[in-house]
Amino acid sequence: MNRSRLAKSYKSILPYFLSFIISLPAFSQVTAPTAPSGTAPTSTGAQGTTQSGPRGNATGTTGGNTQSGPGGQQGTGQQGANQPGGNQQPGNQQQGNDGQGGDKGKNAANQNGQSPEGGDQSKINTSTSTKLSPEEQAKEAFRQKIYGYSIFADKNLGLIPDLQIVTPTTYVVGPGDELKIYLYNYAESTYETIVNKDGFISIPRVGNVMVAGRTIEEIKKILIDKFAKFVPGMIGTGGEGARTKLMVTLGEVRSVKVFVTGEVINPGTYTVSSLSSAFNALYQAGGPNEIGSFREVRVVRQGKVVSKLDIYDYLVNGKIDGDIRVQENDNVVVGYYLKRAEIAGMVKRPGIYELTPEEKLGDVLRYAGGFSDKAYRARLKVQRITSKERKILDVPESQYDSFEMATGDSINVETVLDRFENIVRVQGAVMRPGEYSLDNSPTLKALIENAQGMREDAFVGRVNVLRTREDLTIQTIPLNYTDVLNGTTPDLVLTRLDEVIVPSKFEMAETAYVSVEGEVNNTKIGENEGKFPYTTDMTLEDVLVQAGGLKESAYTSEVEVVRRKRNSVAGAANAQISEVYKFNVNRDLSLNAKATNFVLFPFDQVIVRKSPNYVEQQTVFVEGEVLVTGPYTIVNKNDKISDIIKRAGGLTELAYPEGATLLRRTIVKNLDQAVDYAEVQQTEKQIKQGTLTGDLPNVKEEKIGIVLKNILKNPGSFEDLVVQEGDIIRIPKRLETVQVTGSVLYPTTVKYGKGMNFSDYISQSGGFTVQSLRKSSYIKYPNGNIDRTRRFLFFNVYPKVQPGSEIFVPTRNAPALNTQQSIQTATTLLSSIMGLIVTVLAFRSLK
């Protein structure tokens, strides 16, 4: 009871006592050790002060300061209140467990191989990470090139000891370890005890047993001797084994402090699990820095080197022979590198590699994963830094395993040349053209045989071999392959890059065809307009079938076949150059008995003309003031305007026949330019349908002025024009205005009035200007006709004005001065200026 009260009073006083100690000036200057790379330092109230309690490894936080509880209790991270040991308290960052007897410190951070000061530091200050400066970025980029650095930089690997492993028999027990002792089989019992600070465990009936500094196997033997005094069956008798078995396992393990010094990213003191190895501690410190050694990491214990680690052994082979478990106050020392070389180019893993004194160039290649597939392996270039300058060394492939490397060497592995050392090619009329090995095809005959021989169309009398000389010029070697086969000509020995070309008979002959023109359904075969490939024994019926048969408009009575005259008399003026054969072809493409199976020759021309009495429907269009507007089909070839107007129901009461026009559009073909026949056909179709809109460069639009009033009064007269396909007859509404434009004072549109003449409309537009060319004025009538101003003696006779007319007055152009007139004008201007100057000077003299 007294002990319980004393413990409670101690726990109630401890927070105030620790707060007082921390507020002292001496403690405010004590800073926490540097945290490992990837973790943020503990945030503190003053300067991140760290203190340790009398026992245990867990820490609490008071006012932002990290403190240790007396019983190893992990307190809440940055709660603003100290969490003393002995009672379980929830923590925001890490949660500890109950201390037991002041010696049992269960620290979640220690079990994860992390520093306990301030809890999981990587979680506390993650928001305070700063952006790296350019110098730091360059340093970090250099570190990434060092082989092995990335495994320490990647904090997601979690290189921490596994606490769920089977208890190692070689594990050295120390204060703070929890031991679980099991008796089973004949006698059964369980004991859980913790090694105190003096190294003893206390077991009922056994008493205190010294276990500190001993392995699990040694402790097991000691306990068997102790329990054998009062537990039956612990020691076998009469040649029989022990009936009662004893097993010793670890429960909660202690934490130990380890120093990581030398050339590491974050040197300092780290608290790790007693199951941790030297590699775990080095990982917590961020690994070697840019000048640290990966090949010799020393573990110093009590002033003696007890083990050496080669990290490359782990990276390459997956094991480290010298990776021992650390003990209290062990020092993991990383020294400077002694020799390092960089390799770049066509290797699988470019980077910077550290070498031991006895390792060679071949070891660098093995560390880099060897050459990539397209690497140039025959020779490497090594750049070396001497005491004065740089130099380059060429190392042949035979010396890779013996070439001595120096620190700072740079190796560049180049790409293999994009060429073949033993290639020959065969093209043309062979079964398998392509590239072949010169080793298997040393001669022309062997190459042709490897290409499975020549095709049936091969022209064997002239086989060309293109040979590339040493100066890269091309030499042609012609051969008659038949002579090579007969032994008349010796077989040609091939060299690298030789190219054998076997010509084809078809390639040496002009492509034969038969052309079909005129009224057939299909005259397009690919890019050949109306040309069909010629085949042996092709008949007229065959080519007509390929052309899709005859159109409805075809003139079947005279289908002509025009044939070249191949044996005409040279030089004769009347020499026959072609022969014409005429046939009467039925609609089913059959001929009479005499003409059937008429065999065509290459380049024959088949012409199917259009029937003279076949005309497709033709349409004209009527727009405006008629009774029924729209398209009208031409019934007779000589249909005239009056016939179309009559079929349209005549004019309406609002029609203005004086303004009627005939619009005719025709396609203009430029003989100097290539004609797009598809576009021409589309334009013709639009003209025929009356759907053509806008101005097109190849379409000529004519506006023909007609006197519709006279045409309707005298149908069939000379003014009654014959209509053509696509014509548009436009009859406007009654017009009541006259437009005046050109060189008048106020161009405008004036209402038409009966009795008003040309001059009246000019007057209503403000009259002529000084620059008006009156005698050239003209008028444009609504039907498109033009009438000009005429002269009678000294008078202008202006044309008659009709409704809807447009009056135009041209502008007088100033005449150009000749040389004499220019000199005369300049002289007059200078005389006037001189006279003015003399007058001014005379007035001044009078004053």
Side-chain angles (χ1 to χ4, degrees):
M1 292 296 293
N2 293 333
R3 291 182 179 179
S4 176
R5 291 177 181 177
L6 182 59
K8 291 182 179 179
S9 62
Y10 174 75
K11 292 178 182 179
S12 62
I13 297 174
L14 182 60
Y16 302 100
F17 176 74
L18 292 177
S19 299
F20 171 75
I21 294 299
I22 292 172
S23 63
L24 294 177
F27 282 89
S28 63
Q29 302 299 325
V30 180
T31 59
T34 305
S37 175
T39 61
T42 304
S43 178
T44 63
Q47 294 184 356
T49 62
T50 304
Q51 302 179 18
S52 298
R55 294 179 185 175
N57 300 303
T59 61
T61 305
T62 303
N65 295 306
T66 305
Q67 299 181 5
S68 175
Q73 170 62 38
Q74 172 66 39
T76 59
Q78 299 195 12
Q79 286 292 316
N82 184 46
Q83 301 292 338
N87 292 316
Q88 184 175 358
Q89 300 290 342
N92 290 339
Q93 301 297 332
Q94 298 182 10
Q95 181 174 353
N97 296 312
D98 295 338
Q100 182 175 357
D103 293 323
K104 180 180 177 182
K106 297 182 180 180
N107 190 326
N110 292 340
Q111 294 178 359
N112 287 314
Q114 298 176 353
S115 175
E117 284 79 2
D120 188 352
Q121 299 175 9
S122 63
K123 297 181 180 180
I124 296 176
N125 278 348
T126 54
S127 62
T128 60
S129 59
T130 59
K131 187 176 181 181
L132 296 178
S133 64
E135 294 79 6
E136 292 174 337
Q137 291 179 1
K139 182 183 292 186
E140 182 64 23
F142 178 76
R143 289 174 177 174
Q144 291 291 341
K145 295 170 64 176
I146 300 174
Y147 180 61
Y149 171 76
S150 59
I151 194 172
F152 295 101
D154 188 0
K155 292 303 177 183
N156 295 323
L157 294 178
L159 295 179
I160 59 175
D162 187 3
L163 301 180
Q164 304 300 324
I165 63 174
V166 178
T167 301
T169 58
T170 59
Y171 177 77
V172 179
V173 177
D177 284 337
E178 180 185 13
L179 297 180
K180 295 183 178 181
I181 304 168
Y182 301 95
L183 299 178
Y184 58 97
N185 280 351
Y186 186 75
E188 294 185 357
S189 182
T190 301
Y191 303 92
E192 293 184 4
T193 180
I194 295 177
V195 182
N196 61 22
K197 64 179 181 178
D198 297 323
F200 290 94
I201 58 173
S202 180
I203 303 175
R205 300 184 64 185
V206 175
N208 293 334
V209 180
M210 183 65 180
V211 294
R214 293 173 176 165
T215 64
I216 295 295
E217 187 65 27
E218 293 173 346
I219 295 173
K220 180 179 178 181
K221 294 178 181 179
I222 294 173
L223 293 179
I224 290 176
D225 293 338
K226 297 287 186 181
F227 279 102
K229 298 177 181 179
F230 58 89
V231 176
M234 291 296 297
I235 299 177
T237 58
E240 296 181 357
R243 293 182 297 168
T244 302
K245 305 292 185 181
L246 183 142
M247 181 174 62
V248 180
T249 62
L250 282 172
E252 297 293 338
V253 297
R254 71 186 187 278
S255 298
V256 295
K257 288 185 178 181
V258 179
F259 298 95
V260 183
T261 59
E263 299 305 322
V264 293
I265 301 296
N266 295 308
T269 303
Y270 293 89
T271 301
V272 296
S273 167
S274 58
L275 288 175
S276 299
S277 66
F279 192 79
N280 298 135
L282 183 61
Y283 179 80
Q284 292 299 316
N289 58 20
E290 63 276 5
I291 62 174
S293 174
F294 285 78
R295 307 305 304 272
E296 185 176 343
V297 179
R298 294 169 293 162
V299 180
V300 180
R301 182 175 296 162
Q302 296 178 0
K304 296 181 180 180
V305 177
V306 296
S307 179
K308 291 183 179 180
L309 286 74
D310 187 348
I311 300 177
Y312 276 29
D313 195 17
Y314 172 76
L315 298 175
V316 177
N317 303 319
K319 61 184 182 65
I320 302 181
D321 294 334
D323 188 21
I324 63 174
R325 289 189 184 88
V326 293
Q327 297 184 13
E328 188 74 22
N329 295 324
D330 276 358
N331 189 3
V332 181
V333 182
V334 178
Y336 297 97
Y337 72 87
L338 298 179
K339 185 166 63 172
R340 199 159 63 182
E342 181 177 3
I343 186 169
M346 303 302 292
V347 291
K348 297 177 181 177
R349 189 169 50 232
I352 299 174
Y353 295 90
E354 184 180 350
L355 304 175
T356 59
E358 65 276 3
E359 288 181 331
K360 313 296 182 183
L361 175 59
D363 297 305
V364 180
L365 293 173
R366 283 189 288 273
Y367 289 144
F371 293 105
S372 60
D373 297 337
K374 296 183 179 181
Y376 174 60
R377 300 175 175 85
R379 186 175 297 271
L380 293 179
K381 296 179 181 179
V382 179
Q383 294 184 8
R384 178 163 295 175
I385 301 174
T386 64
S387 58
K388 294 182 179 181
E389 56 188 0
R390 294 176 179 267
K391 72 174 182 179
I392 190 168
L393 302 173
D394 288 337
V395 184
E397 187 174 8
S398 59
Q399 298 179 10
Y400 289 170
D401 292 332
S402 60
F403 182 77
E404 291 286 346
M405 300 294 296
T407 185
D409 281 355
S410 179
I411 308 163
N412 183 30
V413 182
E414 299 178 346
T415 308
V416 70
L417 294 178
D418 190 14
R419 55 182 289 179
F420 293 90
E421 62 182 15
N422 63 338
I423 187 173
V424 290
R425 297 182 179 89
V426 59
Q427 297 181 8
V430 293
M431 292 298 181
R432 291 188 178 276
E435 300 172 345
Y436 290 86
S437 171
L438 180 61
D439 302 332
N440 299 327
S441 305
T443 63
L444 175 62
K445 188 176 179 180
L447 177 61
I448 298 298
E449 290 176 356
N450 290 336
Q452 295 189 1
M454 294 185 178
R455 295 202 309 255
E456 292 78 2
D457 61 321
F459 186 73
V460 297
R462 193 75 174 183
V463 175
N464 291 327
V465 178
L466 303 181
R467 174 158 296 174
T468 303
R469 296 177 176 177
E470 293 182 358
D471 58 354
L472 299 183
T473 58
I474 306 298
Q475 176 188 4
T476 301
I477 303 176
L479 290 172
N480 188 332
Y481 191 67
T482 304
D483 295 342
V484 175
L485 293 177
N486 296 334
T488 307
T489 301
D491 195 2
L492 179 66
V493 177
L494 301 178
T495 61
R496 186 177 71 90
L497 298 180
D498 277 356
E499 185 174 355
V500 179
I501 300 176
V502 181
S504 171
K505 295 178 181 179
F506 297 134
E507 295 175 353
M508 300 175 63
E510 184 181 0
T511 303
Y513 61 87
V514 175
S515 63
V516 180
E517 301 178 4
E519 301 301 306
V520 291
N521 292 316
N522 181 19
T523 59
K524 293 184 179 180
I525 298 295
E527 298 180 354
N528 298 321
E529 182 75 22
K531 295 180 180 180
F532 299 88
Y534 175 79
T535 57
T536 304
D537 297 332
M538 175 184 282
T539 63
L540 177 60
E541 297 95 319
D542 296 333
V543 74
L544 290 178
V545 170
Q546 293 185 31
L550 303 176
K551 288 185 179 180
E552 184 184 16
S553 59
Y555 189 42
T556 59
S557 300
E558 288 189 3
V559 176
E560 295 183 354
V561 176
V562 182
R563 179 168 296 169
R564 296 177 181 177
K565 190 69 174 177
R566 292 173 171 81
N567 54 355
S568 61
V569 179
N574 60 348
Q576 185 180 3
I577 61 175
S578 63
E579 294 177 329
V580 178
Y581 303 89
K582 295 184 178 181
F583 300 92
N584 185 2
V585 182
N586 299 321
R587 285 291 174 180
D588 60 356
L589 303 183
S590 63
L591 303 175
N592 55 35
K594 293 183 179 180
T596 188
N597 296 327
F598 179 77
V599 179
L600 299 177
F601 283 9
F603 309 108
D604 279 356
Q605 182 180 13
V606 180
I607 301 175
V608 182
R609 291 185 172 85
K610 190 173 183 178
S611 178
N613 57 355
Y614 182 86
V615 180
E616 296 179 1
Q617 295 90 337
Q618 299 179 358
T619 305
V620 296
F621 303 88
V622 182
E623 300 176 356
E625 295 301 317
V626 292
L627 189 62
V628 181
T629 61
Y632 288 88
T633 303
I634 299 175
V635 178
N636 301 311
K637 291 184 178 181
N638 63 343
D639 276 354
K640 299 186 177 182
I641 297 176
S642 58
D643 299 326
I644 303 301
I645 296 297
K646 182 178 179 181
R647 292 171 59 188
L651 305 181
T652 65
E653 295 181 357
L654 295 178
Y656 184 62
E658 290 80 0
T661 58
L662 175 64
L663 184 64
R664 180 166 292 170
R665 296 173 177 176
T666 56
I667 297 177
V668 180
K669 298 179 181 179
N670 190 351
L671 299 180
D672 297 334
Q673 298 179 356
V675 179
D676 188 351
Y677 291 98
E679 183 180 355
V680 171
Q681 291 179 0
Q682 181 66 20
T683 304
E684 288 180 348
K685 183 177 180 182
Q686 292 178 349
I687 292 175
K688 293 178 182 180
Q689 296 177 353
T691 59
L692 183 65
T693 58
D695 296 331
L696 297 177
N698 61 338
V699 176
K700 181 181 178 182
E701 185 175 285
E702 297 176 300
K703 198 171 184 181
I704 304 174
I706 59 175
V707 184
L708 186 60
K709 195 171 184 180
N710 295 340
I711 292 174
L712 297 179
K713 184 182 292 187
N714 299 310
S717 63
F718 74 96
E719 294 181 340
D720 195 2
L721 302 178
V722 176
V723 294
Q724 297 181 11
E725 184 180 15
D727 283 353
I728 301 176
I729 303 172
R730 289 176 179 170
I731 298 96
K733 281 187 178 181
R734 186 182 303 154
L735 302 176
E736 298 179 349
T737 59
V738 176
Q739 187 177 4
V740 183
T741 59
S743 183
V744 292
L745 293 177
Y746 184 71
T748 186
T749 300
V750 182
K751 180 175 174 56
Y752 174 80
K754 289 185 178 180
M756 295 179 62
N757 57 22
F758 191 94
S759 300
D760 295 332
Y761 291 104
I762 295 296
S763 298
Q764 292 194 19
S765 299
F768 294 106
T769 64
V770 178
Q771 300 295 329
S772 296
L773 189 60
R774 302 184 184 187
K775 63 180 180 180
S776 297
S777 301
Y778 64 89
I779 188 168
K780 181 179 179 182
Y781 293 109
N783 63 353
N785 290 336
I786 305 293
D787 197 2
R788 63 180 178 83
T789 300
R790 294 172 175 81
R791 296 279 293 178
F792 179 75
L793 298 179
F794 301 101
F795 303 99
N796 292 327
V797 180
Y798 295 109
K800 182 180 179 181
V801 181
Q802 295 180 2
S805 301
E806 181 179 352
I807 300 172
F808 184 78
V809 181
T811 302
R812 186 189 306 275
N813 293 326
L817 299 178
N818 55 29
T819 305
Q820 185 178 0
Q821 291 174 340
S822 300
I823 296 174
Q824 184 178 357
T825 303
T827 304
T828 303
L829 181 61
L830 290 175
S831 300
S832 300
I833 295 174
M834 293 301 295
L836 180 60
I837 294 174
V838 171
T839 303
V840 173
L841 294 176
F843 275 108
R844 286 187 176 181
S845 62
L846 292 176
K847 292 181 179 180

